[in-house]
Amino acid sequence: MTINLVTMSQSFISLKLETDKESHQKTRKKEHKGGNNMPRSKKSYPGVFQTDDGNFGYRFVVTVNGHQKTRKKVKDENGNPFKTRIQAANARAVDMEKTKAGVIDKPVSFPKATVSKVYADYRKNGTTGKAYTTLLKQDSLWENHIKEKFGRRIISKITAAEINDFLSDLYYKEGYSYGYVESFIKFFYLLYGQAFTRGYISADLYARMTKSKSSKIHMPNKKVDEDDDIRFFNESQLNTLDEYFHGTNAETAYMLGRYCGLRINECYGLKWDHVDLDSGTIRIDRQMQYQEGLIKLVPVKTRNGVRTIFIPDVLVLYLRELKQKIDGLENEAERKQNQTMIIDIDGKQLSSLSLVNCQLNGKIQTNNSMKYHSRKLAGEGLEFKYHWLRHTYGTMMAAMNTPEYLLCSQMGHASSQVTHKYYVALSKPGIDVLRDRLNKL
């Protein structure tokens, strides 16, 4: 009898547990359907859809006083896209209630600011941290091209089509290079960014002009024969340049360009205390520039431009011999007399004797020092630009299958996309490898 009671008791408990479980599940389903304003499943967000760009929008139809009202939106009242499904669902619920109540959002009015006004505000308050040369370039674009065409126009009234036509004329009709025209599009993006942050245009207009793939300002299609600006010297030309620069005052600058791929301003801004011959590295964190008629050392172009570069043995040997030659000079008084005091990155005075590119007599060398050699080489039938040494360095390193991320670091590129150009450029070493592999087919 006791066993039967225990069995019946266990059966009752089991039945009760199953009943409680079913009741709990039904309660959750009921709450999920009606009791919770924020549904959990994708099917529980009626009227919400996903857009092509991965964001969300909503639509609905309601009847107000016998009339149907239809709404469809993909952005909030500030012009920002709905990033999640629940954001769109919340906005839909609010919009439906407002529509049923007959509430109409009043359009926000914006001041009628001209393009000249926007640029003037930027130059007055928005240039903190901008490089001096960047500001010079922007002023040049403004004064020589954009001011006359758009200066008096209300920025909110200009269409993307007008600006796209302007860019196309610069590229196709006036013959400016693709890279130069790209500086204009950056300038317009800057203007619209400034106009938005200063309350001159809506978030929606800013997004349409600079973000939306279908409506934003964009570059014209590149010409088939457009030069991608990767110019490099072949082996024969490098032999000629090696021989030409040997023993000249520009030999050190040439060696740094040839074996490090430095930008010319980085090269002439290099200090001896940034050279570590024992570890075979040099530290790049500043560059030489002329600012308001003065020679200054200023920060490098981008954050990635600050880097430590590994240098080959041939350059270590050259720099070691150069340093020993300088330390052994007996004309220290003459060197100090000829030195030039320049402004370092911290605003303090710096002697030209601290620079790697300084003549043995103490006189300073600047990027203008290379212009004479460019003219002389041109007269001998070899076109030379210092920056092409950088292209040559990048192309040769890429042809030797240097990992792209390492080359990007060595060259101080802001983006690996820039570095990638060297891997797709046709070079003789690369073609030789290709031919060798083709012959093994």
Side-chain angles (χ1 to χ4, degrees), residues 16-17 47 54 86 139 193 260 418:
K16 188 175 186 308
L17 288 172
I86 199 169
D139 286 343
C260 295
V418 180

Side-chain angles (χ1 to χ4, degrees), residues 29 32 71 128 335 409 435:
K29 288 182 179 178
H32 191 60
R71 296 284 186 273
T128 303
R335 281 169 55 80
S409 175
R435 290 185 183 279

Side-chain angles (χ1 to χ4, degrees), residues 138 207 212 292 328 358 364:
Q138 290 171 348
S212 173
E292 300 173 349
C358 178
I364 193 171

Side-chain angles (χ1 to χ4, degrees), residues 417-435:
Q417 292 180 347
V418 180
T419 314
H420 189 67
K421 291 182 180 180
Y422 294 100
Y423 288 84
V424 297
L426 291 178
S427 62
K428 188 177 185 302
I431 293 174
D432 289 343
V433 172
L434 175 62
R435 290 185 183 279

